[in-house]
């Protein structure tokens, strides 16, 4: 165990030191505006940097190439530990206990967007900036960021990258060197973020709100600077900008890079997953709009289409920004949105849930099984987008989906046993494990997770981490086989 923990701790120490340095961003903003939260970031950043530096010095003799087991442990430890240090400024400045502060920081880093805070518009800008910066950093993964900006790691970047990146991206190398690949993905991510910020400023936001919501949109993070979220602005142009960029963020960033490098959109038409995502979103937006109009929720179809489009896209892509209290809509609409949050986001995107590629594999496998009932001797390979999917991949998808739904069921029963009503327990667990943000019931868009008890809040924090690390990365650490030599 010592031979595993100390080399992992050495890399984690470097990540923590870098993370402490990142806290300079809100420090500079707080100094510029002379807000009262400045010293909370100074103390937190200094403490985090020193802690990381001391841990690095203590473990510098244990640097070595990381194995698969080490990569899995590093990813899990990083995502469990970083919210604790990221929570320090919130714990120092705001009237929150550690449980709530950890939840808020974990929600940011996992791009969930669930919050325990009220009166967001009255918070110091540095606090709001920190929340949104956490989401943006978490969008492509702190580990991938570390691989990109710390080439001196020399500790098996591919093992870290494979443990961190979801779905088929684990086997996708755009360039021969993993650090170069990570940099390219971050360049695409940062570039789209910059364009989104400029578009939001043009649409009517001030620069601060544009930056914060640009971070939220590309990270699919769901945090806002207002309790009413995007409903505060009541602007069709802002909603259109955010809708477009939330859809882009829900697509595979490798596909974005290929489209950019090829100077065209053919990459999207060759991506079966992207086509499925766009088709499901288009049908769902129109379908929910028709449903709301027929039910009389909105007086005219254009209004129904406007609100249905933004909120369906936001929840389906696991963003969590909203313009309406959709929990008041007829129950079919919000429940359909919660279902979409499980499947719509692409692999290699900043979204959560099962991912569309796994949904396509399951659908193809179900069709193959039905066909073989009629023609039992037929041998038919499973294909998605013209590519043959190996049976071992199909079995892995089946195992993942089983563990995913069993995790949801288990956490729901835990929340029910703690005293939550069914709708709140169901929606809170689904929203957190999909990193989608608001739920229904007591944690709906008109409320927040501050109504939960400490125990219920920790359950939601566990759900967020399970979802962000796609279940396997955490659960595999508890299997005896992993620790056998």
């Amino acid at each position: 165990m010592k031979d595993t923990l100390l080399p992992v701790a050495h890399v984690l120490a470097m990540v923590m030191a870098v993370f402490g340095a990142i806290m300079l961003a809100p420090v500079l903003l707080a100094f510029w505006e002379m807000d009262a939260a400045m010293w909370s970031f100074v103390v937190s950043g200094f403490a985090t940097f020193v802690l990381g530096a001391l841990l690095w010095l203590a473990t510098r003799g244990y640097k070595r190439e990381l194995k698969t087991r080490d990569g899995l442990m590093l990813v899990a430890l990083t995502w469990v530990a970083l919210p604790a240090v990221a929570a320090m400024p919130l714990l120092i400045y705001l009237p929150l206990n550690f449980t709530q502060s950890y939840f808020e920081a974990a929600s940011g880093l996992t791009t969930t967007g669930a919050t325990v805070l009220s009166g967001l518009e009255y918070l110091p800008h540095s606090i709001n900036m920190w929340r949104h910066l956490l989401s943006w950093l978490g969008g492509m993964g702190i580990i991938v960021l570390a691989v990109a900006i710390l080439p001196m790691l020399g500790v098996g970047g591919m093992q870290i990258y494979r443990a961190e990146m979801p779905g088929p991206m684990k086997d996708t190398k755009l360039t021969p060197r993993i650090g170069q690949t990570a940099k390219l993905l971050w360049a695409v991510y940062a570039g789209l973020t910059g364009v989104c910020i400029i578009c939001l400023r043009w649409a009517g936001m001030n620069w601060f709100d544009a930056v914060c919501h640009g971070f939220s949109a590309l990270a699919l993070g769901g945090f806002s600077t207002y309790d009413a979220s995007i409903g505060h602005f009541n602007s069709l142009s802002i909603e259109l900008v955010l809708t477009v960029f939330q859809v882009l963020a829900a697509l595979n960033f490798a596909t974005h890079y290929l489209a950019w490098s090829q100077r065209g959109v053919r990459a999207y038409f060759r991506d079966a997953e992207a086509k499925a995502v766009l088709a499901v979103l288009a049908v769902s937006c129109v379908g929910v709009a028709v449903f709301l109009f027929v039910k009389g929720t909105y007086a005219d179809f254009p209004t129904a289409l406007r609100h249905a489009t933004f909120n369906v896209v936001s929840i389906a892509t696991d963003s969590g920004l909203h313009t309406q209290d959709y929990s008041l809509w007829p129950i079919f609409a919000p429940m359909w949105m919660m279902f979409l949050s499980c499947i719509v986001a692409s692999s290699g995107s900043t979204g959560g849930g099962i991912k569309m590629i796994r949904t396509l594999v399951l659908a193809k496998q179900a069709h193959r099984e039905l066909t073989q009932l009629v023609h039992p001797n037929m041998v038919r390979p499973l294909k998605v987008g013209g590519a043959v999917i190996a049976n071992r991949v199909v079995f892995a998808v089946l195992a993942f989906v089983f563990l995913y739904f069993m995790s949801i069921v288990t956490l729901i029963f835990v929340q029910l046993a703690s005293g939550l009503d069914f709708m709140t327990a169901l929606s809170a667990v689904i929203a957190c494990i999909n990193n989608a943000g608001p739920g229904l019931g007591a944690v709906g868009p008109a409320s927040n997770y501050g109504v939960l008890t400490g125990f219920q809040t920790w359950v939601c924090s566990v759900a967020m981490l399970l979802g962000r690390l796609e279940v396997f990365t955490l659960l595999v650490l508890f299997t005896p086989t992993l620790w056998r030599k």
Side-chain angles (χ1 to χ4, degrees), residues 106-441:
S107 181
L109 283 169
T110 59
T111 73
T112 301
T115 184
V116 296
L117 299 174
S118 299
L120 298 175
E121 49 264 57
Y122 305 112
L123 293 176
H125 279 180
S126 57
I127 294 289
N128 263 324
M129 176 58 72
W130 181 237
R131 295 169 65 244
H132 289 83
L133 185 59
L134 290 177
S135 285
W136 193 76
L137 293 173
M140 286 292 281
I142 294 294
I143 300 299
V144 176
L145 174 64
V147 173
I149 67 173
L150 294 177
M152 72 290 291
L153 276 177
V155 287
M158 180 54 75
Q159 283 80 2
I160 301 173
Y161 183 71
R162 287 175 60 85
E164 166 63 14
M165 292 304 289
M169 280 295 289
K170 291 182 178 182
D171 300 313
T172 299
K173 291 177 67 176
L174 304 180
T175 61
R177 294 176 61 85
I178 187 59
Q180 190 177 352
T181 300
K183 288 176 182 178
L184 286 175
L185 293 178
W186 266 95
V188 174
Y189 183 58
L192 286 174
T193 303
V195 175
C196 181
I197 290 170
I198 293 171
C199 290
L200 287 174
R201 180 68 182 92
W202 171 82
M205 284 188 180
N206 61 46
W207 279 115
F208 178 77
D209 286 337
V211 170
C212 288
H213 290 93
F215 284 177
S216 273
L218 266 296
L220 295 176
F223 276 158
S224 178
T225 53
Y226 300 93
D227 286 346
S229 191
I230 306 305
H232 167 84
F233 300 98
N234 191 26
S235 168
L236 178 59
S237 58
I238 288 175
E239 293 165 25
L240 289 174
V241 169
L242 288 171
T243 298
V244 169
F245 281 95
Q246 285 174 146
V247 172
L248 290 175
L251 301 180
N252 194 318
F253 275 81
T255 304
H256 292 321
Y257 171 74
L258 292 174
W260 176 80
S261 62
Q262 295 167 4
R263 301 295 189 271
V265 296
R266 285 182 297 176
Y268 299 106
F269 292 103
R270 291 195 298 265
D271 187 343
E273 190 178 23
K275 291 189 289 186
V277 169
L278 296 175
V280 169
L281 285 177
V283 171
S284 295
C285 289
V286 174
V288 171
V290 171
F291 175 76
L292 294 176
F293 176 62
V294 170
K295 288 293 184 178
T297 304
Y298 297 103
D300 57 88
F301 183 72
T303 302
L305 182 62
R306 170 187 173 180
H307 295 309
T309 298
F310 183 85
N311 292 281
V312 168
V313 167
S314 182
I315 300 303
T317 59
D318 300 314
S319 173
L321 297 171
H322 55 273
T323 61
Q324 301 283 292
D325 183 3
Y326 51 78
S327 64
L328 301 178
W329 291 355
I331 192 63
F332 166 80
M335 290 304 293
W336 179 251
M337 291 157 61
M338 296 295 290
F339 166 70
L340 291 180
S341 73
C342 299
I343 66 170
V344 162
S346 295
S347 60
S349 74
T350 54
I354 294 172
K355 303 295 192 299
M356 181 58 76
I357 189 64
R358 292 193 181 102
T359 306
L360 293 175
V361 169
L362 288 177
K364 295 280 187 176
Q365 174 64 10
H367 181 263
R368 183 167 69 168
E369 291 294 331
L370 290 172
T371 303
Q372 287 189 321
L373 287 175
V374 181
H375 305 286
N377 295 323
M378 183 187 70
V379 177
R380 183 178 182 180
L382 190 151
K383 294 183 178 180
V384 175
V388 176
I389 307 298
N391 284 332
R392 63 178 180 81
V393 176
V394 177
F395 297 149
V397 169
L398 290 170
F400 171 83
V401 173
F402 172 76
L403 289 175
Y404 169 82
F405 280 111
M406 286 306 298
S407 298
I408 289 177
V409 170
T410 301
L411 293 172
I412 287 174
F413 275 110
V414 170
Q415 293 287 46
L416 290 174
S418 73
L420 271 185
D421 64 276
F422 177 74
M423 182 57 73
T424 301
L426 171 71
S427 63
V429 169
I430 290 177
C432 287
I433 204 167
N434 290 334
N435 308 126
L440 301 172

Side-chain angles (χ1 to χ4, degrees), residues 38 97 281 352:
M38 181 178 68
N97 56 40
L281 285 177

Side-chain angles (χ1 to χ4, degrees), residues 25-50:
V27 168
L28 294 175
L29 179 61
F31 178 77
W32 177 262
E33 298 190 345
M34 296 305 294
D35 72 46
M38 181 178 68
W39 287 107
S40 66
F41 289 104
V42 171
V43 172
S44 302
F46 180 76
T48 302
F49 181 82
V50 170

